[in-house]
Amino acid sequence: MASSPPLPADSESREVSEKSGTRSYKDPFIVQPSGPHTHTIILLHGRGSNGPKFGKEFITSASSTGKNLSETFPFAKFIFPTAKKRRAVVFKRMPINQWFDLYDINRQGYREHLSVDGLQETTGFIHGLIEQEVQGGIAAERIVMGGLSQGCAASLYSLLCFNERLGGYVGMSGWLPFARHMQDIIEDESEGSSEDDIFARSDDEASESEKESTPDQISKAINFARENISHAPLSSSFTSLPVSKTLVFLGHGALDEKVKCNLGEGAQDVLMSLGFRVTWKKYNDLGHWYSVPDEIDDIERFLEKCLV
């Protein structure tokens, strides 16, 4: 493993303007660019963590070149927000930092309604962060978002509810909330829909997810995601999904016991059914985390395609 370069000297927590409902969140941990600011990367931590803890560790994780992502992309600002403390049902309603509540990560259909309120608020919060960057002069197509574990899940869901193309999406060790519902909608609208469980499919069956969906199928699935969190549905004149032009990277450890790898594969299936171009990477010797330096290398190569 390559040694981690020191955290950039200008890293600090900066106050984010109180717009779009962000005033009740703690200020994010921000790593400012060392050169002219042309791009922004927003990454969400996992359940029980926080922006500074996740951000400081991630931003100092080096690729095989010995550089961290801030050094490789000196023009990018990195934003690591912190989730609100929400009561966790599985922990006897103890407040913890989480983007939304849930009961069992690996039983996605069980008590999944617990996630709705948090996903609604978190989606509005993330969209607000993006809007602040846009108002500051960074176009949406120069903004990348993503996250780790539950941060991946929350940011993936908010991506589907966004109205524009972003520069890219980076997800690690995560899943897509309500993926089963969206895939069922797509399959129910298809001729000869399959009864297979997408979360238990083999690699040989992966080609099934590459079948092109119709605009009607896509709009119904996306409208489920939007209306599920009280977002306005797409118009009836829907012909394409601008956000689906966003390039997506998903990485997952094959040995992940906390968030099973097939949940990441299931997220890939749904996104591809919705027209997204997904780069999927499975790390055979990795559990629940991101791989250093292998996954950092892959993210670096992915960002090189996005940050143009």
Side-chain angles (χ1 to χ4, degrees):
M1 182 184 298
S3 61
S4 297
L7 192 67
D10 60 346
S11 301
E12 57 185 85
S13 294
R14 303 284 180 93
E15 182 177 359
V16 173
S17 61
E18 297 180 351
K19 296 178 181 179
S20 305
T22 65
R23 62 171 55 89
S24 56
Y25 287 79
K26 290 184 177 180
D27 293 342
F29 173 73
I30 296 178
V31 178
Q32 296 289 351
S34 58
H37 178 204
T38 60
H39 295 74
T40 295
I41 300 174
I42 303 170
L43 296 174
L44 277 62
H45 62 77
R47 191 183 198 191
S49 187
N50 57 60
K53 181 179 179 181
F54 170 53
K56 290 175 182 178
E57 184 162 358
F58 182 80
I59 206 63
T60 55
S61 296
S63 70
S64 58
T65 67
K67 290 184 178 181
N68 62 46
L69 294 177
S70 181
E71 293 172 319
T72 303
F73 304 105
F75 48 81
K77 176 169 75 172
F78 288 79
I79 300 177
F80 298 93
T82 293
K84 277 185 176 181
K85 285 193 178 295
R86 305 176 188 275
R87 294 190 180 278
V89 170
V90 73
F91 298 132
K92 299 182 179 180
R93 293 186 55 77
M94 179 179 70
I96 63 172
N97 289 342
Q98 57 175 354
W99 299 106
F100 57 90
D101 198 16
L102 74 164
Y103 193 80
D104 188 338
I105 293 174
N106 292 299
R107 293 172 62 194
Q108 294 296 286
Y110 183 66
R111 303 185 71 177
E112 201 167 20
H113 65 280
L114 294 172
S115 303
V116 172
D117 289 346
L119 284 172
Q120 178 182 13
E121 186 174 31
T122 294
T123 295
F125 170 63
I126 296 172
H127 289 182
L129 290 178
I130 294 171
E131 180 58 29
Q132 289 174 29
E133 292 302 298
V134 171
Q135 290 179 2
I138 305 300
E141 58 266 26
R142 289 175 175 263
I143 297 173
V144 173
M145 75 168 175
L148 171 71
S149 191
Q150 194 192 61
C152 172
S155 55
L156 258 186
Y157 200 95
S158 68
L159 176 70
L160 295 186
C161 297
F162 198 64
N163 295 329
E164 304 175 49
R165 178 176 71 86
L166 292 175
Y169 177 88
V170 174
M172 301 162 281
S173 303
W175 73 98
L176 174 62
F178 295 95
R180 288 179 182 271
H181 297 270
M182 285 179 263
Q183 189 69 18
D184 285 347
I185 289 169
I186 293 169
E187 292 179 351
D188 287 346
E189 293 295 320
S190 303
E191 291 185 4
S193 63
S194 170
E195 297 297 323
D196 290 340
D197 180 359
I198 66 167
F199 296 94
R201 64 98 167 92
S202 68
D203 290 340
D204 292 339
E205 295 169 322
S207 60
E208 292 297 314
S209 66
E210 298 174 5
K211 293 180 179 179
E212 186 173 349
S213 303
T214 67
D216 188 54
Q217 292 167 335
I218 293 173
S219 66
K220 287 183 177 179
I222 290 294
N223 279 339
F224 163 80
R226 296 173 69 99
E227 293 174 332
N228 189 41
I229 60 169
S230 301
H231 269 49
L234 297 169
S235 67
S236 58
S237 60
F238 169 87
T239 57
S240 65
L241 184 65
V243 75
S244 70
K245 303 301 181 184
T246 303
L247 298 178
V248 174
F249 172 89
L250 294 177
H252 214 115
L255 305 181
D256 192 340
E257 291 294 328
K258 190 170 184 179
V259 180
K260 299 289 188 180
C261 189
N262 60 356
L263 293 181
E265 291 172 333
Q268 176 200 203
D269 287 346
V270 174
L271 291 172
M272 292 180 67
S273 295
L274 295 174
F276 286 84
R277 290 172 57 192
V278 181
T279 298
W280 166 257
K281 295 287 185 177
K282 181 164 68 173
Y283 303 94
N284 291 330
D285 298 323
L286 180 67
H288 186 69
W289 199 241
Y290 52 87
S291 175
V292 180
D294 293 349
E295 193 164 1
I296 301 299
D297 285 346
D298 290 333
I299 292 172
E300 181 180 286
R301 284 190 287 267
F302 176 77
L303 291 177
E304 286 173 348
K305 295 188 296 183
C306 299
L307 303 184
V308 295

